Amino acid sequence: MPNHQDLISKMTLSEKIQLCSGANLWETKAFNELGVPAMFMCDGPHGLRKMTAADSGDGLGMSSSAASTCFPTAVAAASAWDVGLLREMGAALGEEALQEGVNMILGPGVNMKRNPLCGRNFEYYSEDPYLAGKLAAAWITGVQSLGMGTSLKHFAANNQENRRMSADSLVDERALREYYLPAFETAVKEARPTSVMCAYNKVNGTYCSNNAWLLDEILRKDWGFDGAVVSDWGAANDRIEGFKAGMDLEMPSSKGYFDEEVKKAVESGKLDEALIDRSVERILTLLERTKPEGEETSRKKAVLSDMYDRHDALARKIAAAGAVLLKNEDNILPLPKNAAVTVIGALAEKPRYQGSGSSGVTPYRLANLLDGLKEYAAGVTYREGYRLADEPDAALLAEAVAAAKDAKTVILSLGLTEIRESEGFDRETMSLPGNQLELLEAVSKVNPNVILVLAGGSPFEMPFLDDEKNAVKAVLHMQLAGQAGGPACADLLFGAISPSGKLAETWPMRYDDVVSAGYYDNPAKQADYRESVFVGYRYFDIAGKPVRFPFGFGLSYTTFAYSGLNVEHTGGYGYKARLTITNTGKTAGAEAAQLYVAAKTGGAYRPAQELKAFAKAYLAPGESKEMEFILDKRSFAVWDTGKKDWTVENGDYELRVGASSRDIRLTQALTLDGEPPKRRDCAAWYYKPQGAPAKADFVTVYGQYPDYIPPKKGSYDMSNSISEMKESSLLARIIYSAMEKSIAKGNGGKADYDNVQFKMLMQLSGDSPLAVLRLFSPEMMSDKFTRFLLDSANGHFFRGLGAFIKK
Ligand code: BGC
């Protein structure tokens, strides 16, 4: 490509503006005469969802895509706690992108799992920013090692799906800096992603796509990000403000919607042309960084004939490494070689291996648990047991119970069904479907040796484990394990591989124990993050609450000993901690050791402990390995909101090395010389978190903020959605039902809210602010018609109609 400055000087203002908005759903615009190529993007984090223009007929990019390897989803991959595996997965995705002519993959997603009901948690790594950041950096490094691009998403504080298009995340600065942003920060600093995707929502009053504080101050100035910022699909709602904030590329195409407005703004001096040039320069750099060329590329392309076989094997390896053994009473697992098995549960046959929404890929291959078991078992008896739709079926139940009665052990396959977690809307409950619980109860009555195999992308309640004499002897959680999850599960059940995954998020006893349970799903478009930094184990530990399974927990078929913690001071706040892990059992296995830092300075409020390092060792029986953990200033620091900088407080700290957040094996005390500890003058809750903080508590750490006033007739504007206007406008109701009909058309003709795709698209369309909706459907939502709708919703139907029909 010619020199960027030369190019920019040759481009007209209109061309420059056009380059900053997509050509269609997945591509940037090419300017062939200038030598500027198009760039092709596709989702996603666990497999390519490559769509052609023809595939994208629904206009929203949700129809089917070309087949590709479906790797385990982020939740499953993260539980492997293995940066090497994430790098391999990234490189494999990069390889597929290279083959498919995809320049940039839209991932990884590193939003924090603030609440287990967030519908999209399966697509995110962890409730811990350190873990998520390291894994994301490894994945990005893998993808980019092949010259392909990545888009780190969704920046920032996009932690819910309900109202994700417009909710305002009110987060105090410490929570942002210490909890919600560090995963992005680590990935940016360590892996230099080619782009960052800004989220739909607002943060502290400003849409992420117009948020100069986030995009310019923090991302670029503080962290040194040197790539381009891309909008989430439809997140750009004010292009002029976007240019000012540093939002470079609007995706998808808004069909020239903003172009004229931006041009006029430049011509009238409202927008400095230099800001457009700045974005053009970043996009040109992005095009270059995502276009592998030359001999090396041809060589790589030439040797890929066995690519899908290799990737299937890798998908299987990652699925096994990320599966978590949660219970194994009487060492009922692994099963004896060549045992005949009885398998009950529809998910064993029709697996849930990925989540719904933009990350869903068409798997190149798909093997279920039954296929996997055939590799090991002498015989497999299978009964469906329940319907995937949560409806009772007495015949299926009776058949399953009869089979369970005759079996020595039962492998019971349960989990969250598709409609229970998806992008686009949040989960309604944290429980398993009722018909599955009914089956579990019935099977448990006739067979005392139940091995539960679970699928799902987020935690669910397991009250049945409370009864000490329950029949569930083992629980193996496969999560959403990708196309080879079935065989990987069989590898584990029969002991070809010992489980080594550990939970990357806490499993609460019940939803009500979650700190934000009472205010998370706020119908107002204001999400107050009252709990500040106390999310997940950061809350449960300090509140002393029992949990079902702690963060970092996972069992193995073997045992590990931790010994010889030795901490060396390397200068400043630098420390090197070494310890030895020994496999003390009889089978090969792997152990992810975790290092937490507990600050005891009595200054700023903080969690009881925070993860600051981890490593995984693969060990033969009897084998020992030394692990090394490097700590630096950030391992001990808190964000000082006054100084606007990181600070280490004077006083005592403890390094805690363990097998999980609640299984600490070795500790070492440290005294650090830092700034005098500052106790914060705020509500007592933050020093002694118990139950939910009140809004009045939150104000003491966040500051005052205006009460949310729901919009009503007379006050609607472009930031409101059709769903909000429905109550007071007949026209909005008509549009809503037209949307229902049109979305139903692509979904077999039925407006079915139990259909995950339909529900998601309805939520997306219904909840999008008008400013965004008109971008999705510029034909229907013309400027004139949008004005008419607003007038009518505001009680001026005839005035609006008059203006609408006037030539
Ligand atoms: C999602 C993104 C995704 C994009 C393109 C959006 O709705 O939030 O994660 O990359 O669509 O499919």
Side-chain angles (χ1 to χ4, degrees), residues 332-333 335 340-345 381 383 400-413 439-440 443-444 446-453 471-474 493:
I332 190 168
L333 286 177
L335 296 167
V341 291
T342 297
V343 182
I344 297 175
T381 305
R383 297 288 181 272
V401 170
K405 237 186 229 158
D406 299 335
K408 196 162 159 238
T409 57
V410 172
I411 297 175
L412 189 58
S413 176
L439 172 71
L440 171 63
V443 166
S444 297
V446 298
N447 192 310
N449 294 312
V450 175
I451 295 163
L452 262 193
V453 168
V472 177
K473 291 281 178 328
L493 290 173

Side-chain angles (χ1 to χ4, degrees), residues 620-698:
E623 194 187 356
S624 295
K625 257 188 202 157
E626 193 177 72
M627 276 185 182
E628 190 176 276
F629 296 124
I630 305 292
L631 302 175
D632 59 17
K633 180 175 178 185
R634 284 291 290 278
S635 312
F636 306 100
V638 282
W639 181 256
D640 185 325
T641 44
K643 281 203 320 208
K644 301 260 169 255
D645 202 357
W646 295 99
T647 180
V648 174
E649 293 185 333
N650 241 342
D652 293 340
Y653 293 79
E654 188 176 49
L655 305 188
R656 306 158 58 86
V657 179
S660 87
S661 59
R662 293 207 172 173
D663 181 7
I664 299 300
R665 308 283 182 87
L666 303 166
T667 61
Q668 166 82 51
L670 288 182
T671 304
L672 300 185
D673 217 2
E675 304 284 319
K678 275 194 252 165
R679 223 182 139 79
R680 177 112 183 225
D681 185 17
C682 62
W685 189 90
Y686 297 93
Y687 280 95
K688 216 176 170 340
Q690 261 317 318
K695 187 174 165 189
D697 294 330
F698 182 48

Side-chain angles (χ1 to χ4, degrees), residues 722 731-740 780-781 785 789:
I722 300 280
L731 188 55
R733 287 198 290 280
I734 293 172
I735 296 174
Y736 191 86
S737 84
M739 288 190 316
E740 268 183 333
M780 179 170 100
M781 302 297 291
F785 184 71
L789 170 65

Side-chain angles (χ1 to χ4, degrees), residues 71-242:
F71 287 95
T73 54
V75 58
S79 310
W81 291 66
D82 187 332
V83 287
L85 271 186
L86 265 287
R87 204 176 306 122
E88 272 189 67
M89 175 168 159
L93 289 168
E95 208 179 341
E96 295 201 13
L98 188 66
Q99 286 297 298
E100 289 288 340
V102 168
N103 304 91
M104 185 158 93
I105 305 179
L106 304 174
V110 292
N111 296 97
M112 290 293 98
K113 304 189 195 217
R114 177 179 173 226
N115 182 294
L117 293 193
C118 170
R120 208 173 181 183
N121 277 352
F122 66 86
E123 219 182 308
Y124 301 134
Y125 291 120
S126 179
E127 75 179 23
D128 184 89
Y130 182 84
L131 179 60
K134 289 287 176 188
L135 298 176
W139 187 97
I140 293 167
T141 306
V143 174
Q144 296 191 174
S145 68
L146 278 100
M148 319 314 297
T150 58
S151 201
L152 180 66
K153 66 194 188 181
H154 308 88
F155 191 62
N158 171 196
N159 309 97
Q160 65 191 53
E161 288 301 291
N162 285 352
R163 297 168 291 281
R164 71 167 164 160
M165 308 299 293
S166 53
D168 187 2
S169 299
L170 302 180
V171 201
D172 72 273
E173 198 178 339
R174 274 196 61 203
L176 272 172
R177 295 283 189 167
E178 294 176 24
Y179 185 70
Y180 290 100
L181 298 181
F184 290 97
E185 181 182 359
T186 303
V188 163
K189 288 182 173 167
E190 292 186 6
R192 232 188 124 212
T194 56
S195 74
V196 165
M197 185 191 291
C198 70
Y200 289 118
N201 52 286
K202 293 180 186 171
V203 171
N204 296 335
T206 308
Y207 278 108
C208 291
S209 57
N210 308 333
N211 203 317
W213 181 62
L214 278 175
L215 304 186
D216 213 36
E217 288 292 312
I218 297 184
L219 181 62
R220 295 186 192 278
K221 297 206 178 96
D222 287 3
W223 303 345
F225 174 64
D226 61 355
V229 172
V230 179
S231 73
D232 197 345
W233 267 228
N237 49 34
D238 184 333
R239 204 60 193 98
I240 297 172
E241 288 308 307

Side-chain angles (χ1 to χ4, degrees), residues 229-519:
V229 172
V230 179
S231 73
D232 197 345
W233 267 228
N237 49 34
D238 184 333
R239 204 60 193 98
I240 297 172
E241 288 308 307
F243 275 117
K244 289 186 191 161
M247 204 290 284
D248 306 306
L249 175 61
E250 177 205 16
M251 284 305 293
S253 161
S254 57
K255 305 191 175 114
Y257 195 91
F258 289 118
D259 292 5
E260 206 41 41
E261 194 180 320
V262 173
K263 195 163 171 233
K264 279 199 190 124
V266 172
E267 283 161 357
S268 67
K270 225 176 108 193
L271 177 66
D272 187 351
E273 188 167 352
L275 296 180
I276 298 186
D277 291 354
R278 179 177 79 169
S279 287
V280 169
E281 146 68 20
R282 288 175 189 154
I283 293 169
L284 293 174
T285 306
L286 178 68
L287 300 181
E288 251 167 17
R289 283 186 72 197
T290 56
K291 193 160 178 32
E293 274 166 312
E295 250 179 64
E296 176 68 350
T297 307
S298 336
R299 192 183 58 75
K300 278 179 189 146
K301 272 194 147 181
V303 293
L304 301 182
S305 55
D306 63 343
M307 182 175 80
Y308 289 112
D309 291 334
R310 281 188 287 110
H311 291 179
D312 188 54
L314 179 61
R316 182 167 176 168
K317 181 171 155 190
I318 300 172
V324 188
L325 182 64
L326 295 171
K327 180 174 177 180
N328 193 17
E329 214 176 299
D330 307 331
N331 290 330
I332 190 168
L333 286 177
L335 296 167
K337 282 206 172 64
N338 290 323
V341 291
T342 297
V343 182
I344 297 175
L347 285 170
E349 189 189 9
K350 301 186 196 87
R352 253 201 96 222
Y353 55 95
Q354 64 176 340
S356 298
S358 62
S359 68
V361 308
T362 307
Y364 187 80
R365 242 172 238 163
L366 182 61
N368 63 23
L369 177 58
L370 303 176
D371 300 325
L373 287 171
K374 281 178 203 146
E375 287 185 37
Y376 293 98
V380 180
T381 305
Y382 167 67
R383 297 288 181 272
E384 193 177 336
Y386 57 86
R387 286 166 182 261
L388 288 177
D390 187 2
E391 293 156 357
D393 188 320
L396 289 185
L397 189 76
E399 222 179 72
V401 170
K405 237 186 229 158
D406 299 335
K408 196 162 159 238
T409 57
V410 172
I411 297 175
L412 189 58
S413 176
L414 305 182
L416 298 176
T417 49
E418 239 190 349
I419 194 69
R420 292 201 167 230
E421 54 179 348
S422 166
E423 177 183 341
F425 55 90
D426 286 332
R427 298 165 69 198
E428 282 166 19
T429 97
M430 224 183 95
S431 72
L432 280 172
N435 61 347
Q436 295 190 26
L437 290 170
E438 202 185 335
L439 172 71
L440 171 63
E441 200 184 325
V443 166
S444 297
K445 277 194 186 130
V446 298
N447 192 310
N449 294 312
V450 175
I451 295 163
L452 262 193
V453 168
L454 300 174
S458 33
F460 32 88
E461 291 163 350
M462 296 199 209
F464 46 85
L465 294 182
D466 287 335
D467 174 3
E468 282 197 357
K469 286 203 286 300
N470 72 81
V472 177
K473 291 281 178 328
V475 181
L476 177 62
H477 185 30
M478 294 305 297
Q479 319 194 65
L480 300 178
Q483 66 179 38
C489 183
D491 292 339
L492 297 165
L493 290 173
F494 276 89
I497 298 174
S498 172
S500 67
K502 294 192 172 186
L503 296 174
E505 70 196 290
T506 308
W507 278 49
M509 284 287 183
R510 60 192 75 80
Y511 180 60
D512 284 348
D513 290 345
V514 175
V515 60
S516 54
Y519 52 87

Side-chain angles (χ1 to χ4, degrees), residues 545-627:
K545 265 205 179 311
V547 297
R548 180 65 69 197
F549 301 112
F551 175 80
F553 172 78
L555 301 169
S556 166
Y557 295 153
T558 184
T559 47
F560 300 95
Y562 287 59
S563 64
L565 177 62
N566 179 295
V567 180
E568 186 191 326
H569 187 203
T570 54
Y573 295 112
Y575 288 86
K576 195 187 276 177
R578 288 205 193 87
L579 68 133
T580 303
I581 304 275
T582 306
N583 180 346
T584 49
K586 291 199 179 61
T587 49
E591 174 72 345
Q594 303 149 41
L595 186 151
Y596 297 84
V597 171
K600 297 158 187 280
T601 57
Y605 58 79
R606 26 197 326 182
Q609 56 176 5
E610 293 179 274
L611 182 77
K612 295 296 173 186
F614 65 91
K616 189 162 183 174
Y618 290 79
L619 299 166
E623 194 187 356
S624 295
K625 257 188 202 157
E626 193 177 72
M627 276 185 182

